[in-house]
Amino acid sequence: MIGVKLLNRERGVTMDVAQTRFETASKAVTLLDAPGHKDFIPNMITGAANADVALLVVCATRGEFETGFESGGQTREHALLVRSLGVHQLAVAVNKMDTVGWSQERFTEITRKLTSFLKQAGFKENDIKYVPCSGLTGTNLATQATEDALKSWYNGPTLLDIIDGFELPQRPVEKPFRLVVCDVFKGMGSGFSVSGRVESGSVQTGEKVLVMPGGETASIKSIQLEEEPMACTFAGDNVTLNLFNIDMTSVSTGDILCSTVNPIRTASLIRARVVVFNTDCPITKGFPVVFHYTSLNETAVVKKLISQLHKSTGEVIKKKPRCLTKNSSAVIEVEIERPICIELYKDNRDLGRFMLRYAGHTIAAGLVIEILG
């Protein structure tokens, strides 16, 4: 899928997260087209952090699927990232099936390999749906297949049917208001606008909000949802807010708009439970990492290795380990170069998750269990 932004089209690859909207029989869907190229994984993490469900597109062409799926390919990293960011429902579009003659054998081979890996990544088999399709011909995207070679063995749902069948997630509407700023821009009228996803709570026009970590107060002049004016907005909405009574330079991408009564905390030192991925580089005390959180990428360091945990039970199997190797689980302390807004995982699941990357690779995913300072 080529991104809808002009820069994406010029390069022929998706570089940034593009957004569009469509409707199914029962749902209004916001589609976040995230980059697949390894150079733009930080942007992909930003998109995945805003997602409720995921659509993974793999290529059925012989050689191309293997390139993406084998060790070092992007298919594995993308699946690990979305699961680590809280997504548990996954649709897999096996694209370009027309290039292999709609072969059932090829489809079965791909789904078998993917299912085995996705279950290891934490997905439940019942939450994974596969559909054979062709983006070029439009087969099995929105309408049932007409090709005899496909109809002879597949009579399941189209991709649109699978998307329509996703379960709606629970929204933390009752919790304090939190919106992660993804973009800041000047509109046609007075003031300026910010766009982002409401992670929890609700807000309405005329309300005052706190911009963190700066600590300045702003007022909401108007709210737009898919370019339609709204009186209020709730958790799960991707919205645009027009702000006034604050300077535009005081708001940046990655800031969080929050309730003035229950503001979000800021910290530069946290304790977290992490899962280390399939990395060849052991993690030690003082190990430098890039801390990915919502739309932020911050320089950080692993301050302490508190304990190593049993992957299944969570029990402590070793205190103060010297290093963490691949596929291990542990409790660690991470020091971030500058203070950021952050929540405990138990208080806000979406704002209590983060990723650690090193040398261009995602090496661990973590949950914040304690804010230390």
Side-chain angles (χ1 to χ4, degrees):
M1 187 186 300
I2 301 299
V4 298
K5 291 190 176 180
L6 180 60
L7 185 59
N8 295 344
R9 287 178 174 171
E10 288 175 353
R11 285 285 301 270
V13 295
T14 304
M15 297 167 62
D16 205 349
V17 179
Q19 182 174 315
T20 190
R21 190 172 181 267
F22 64 92
E23 293 186 359
T24 65
S26 65
K27 293 180 176 66
V29 181
T30 301
L31 177 67
L32 302 171
D33 180 15
H37 195 280
K38 63 182 180 180
D39 290 349
F40 308 111
I41 287 291
N43 293 346
M44 185 267 174
I45 292 173
T46 299
N50 289 326
D52 296 315
V53 297
L55 168 60
L56 179 66
V57 183
V58 298
C59 179
T61 305
R62 298 191 185 279
E64 288 195 31
F65 169 75
E66 286 73 15
T67 300
F69 183 70
E70 299 306 327
S71 184
Q74 291 307 293
T75 303
R76 287 173 177 265
E77 185 168 11
H78 291 169
L80 278 171
L81 286 172
V82 293
R83 184 64 193 93
S84 300
L85 289 165
V87 174
H88 70 270
Q89 296 182 82
L90 178 68
V92 181
V94 184
N95 192 26
K96 299 186 182 179
M97 282 292 294
D98 52 320
T99 66
V100 293
W102 302 103
S103 166
Q104 182 180 9
E105 183 183 348
R106 179 60 171 166
F107 180 75
T108 304
E109 177 190 358
I110 289 171
T111 56
R112 188 180 68 250
K113 288 181 178 180
L114 278 174
T115 300
S116 175
F117 170 73
L118 292 171
K119 286 168 68 177
Q120 292 176 18
F123 288 96
K124 295 179 181 177
E125 195 165 353
N126 290 341
D127 290 332
I128 309 168
K129 308 295 182 187
Y130 295 97
V131 58
C133 60
S134 169
L136 183 63
T137 64
T139 302
N140 239 13
L141 297 182
T143 55
Q144 292 289 342
T146 56
E147 286 81 356
D148 291 337
L150 178 59
K151 287 168 62 179
S152 65
W153 60 269
Y154 183 83
N155 60 357
T158 64
L159 181 59
L160 196 66
D161 292 334
I162 289 175
I163 294 172
D164 189 53
F166 279 134
E167 294 179 11
L168 292 175
Q170 291 283 326
R171 305 293 192 194
V173 178
E174 74 289 347
K175 294 189 176 182
F177 173 66
R178 304 282 188 262
L179 178 141
V180 178
V181 176
C182 292
D183 197 10
V184 182
F185 55 95
K186 184 73 175 168
M188 295 295 290
S190 60
F192 66 96
S193 297
V194 300
S195 63
R197 184 175 189 262
V198 182
E199 300 291 352
S200 62
S202 61
V203 73
Q204 57 188 8
T205 54
E207 271 194 61
K208 290 185 177 181
V209 294
L210 203 59
V211 182
M212 296 294 284
E216 293 195 37
T217 304
S219 299
I220 298 177
K221 184 177 181 182
S222 63
I223 301 171
Q224 282 193 319
L225 179 64
E226 304 298 338
E227 300 184 355
E228 293 290 330
M230 307 291 287
C232 57
T233 184
F234 299 92
D237 291 341
N238 287 282
V239 296
T240 298
L241 306 181
N242 186 258
L243 303 181
F244 68 104
N245 289 338
I246 188 172
D247 193 88
M248 186 172 176
T249 58
S250 299
V251 186
S252 304
T253 300
D255 284 356
I256 292 183
L257 305 189
C258 60
S259 162
T260 55
V261 179
N262 293 294
I264 192 169
R265 296 169 68 180
T266 61
S268 58
L269 183 63
I270 61 167
R271 182 168 293 177
R273 177 173 175 169
V274 298
V275 174
V276 181
F277 296 152
N278 190 11
T279 175
D280 294 329
C281 191
I283 299 174
T284 58
K285 179 181 176 181
F287 193 83
V289 292
V290 179
F291 187 91
H292 288 261
Y293 176 75
T294 63
S295 52
L296 289 175
N297 313 323
E298 297 288 341
T299 303
V301 63
V302 176
K303 196 74 174 175
K304 286 182 183 177
L305 304 181
I306 307 295
S307 59
Q308 188 170 342
L309 309 176
H310 189 282
K311 284 195 72 174
S312 301
T313 64
E315 293 179 5
V316 175
I317 57 176
K318 190 176 184 180
K319 292 185 176 181
K320 297 182 180 179
R322 294 184 63 184
C323 68
L324 301 176
T325 54
K326 61 184 179 181
N327 301 322
S328 59
S329 181
V331 174
I332 66 172
E333 286 182 11
V334 180
E335 185 173 33
I336 306 148
E337 189 172 58
R338 61 174 184 162
I340 63 168
C341 303
I342 202 158
E343 294 263 41
L344 296 176
Y345 177 74
K346 68 179 180 67
D347 295 333
N348 191 315
R349 291 194 170 195
D350 290 331
L351 295 178
R353 301 177 185 270
F354 63 89
M355 313 294 294
L356 298 180
R357 303 192 85 227
Y358 173 76
H361 296 281
T362 306
I363 61 170
L367 307 176
V368 182
I369 58 175
E370 194 175 346
I371 295 174
L372 301 174

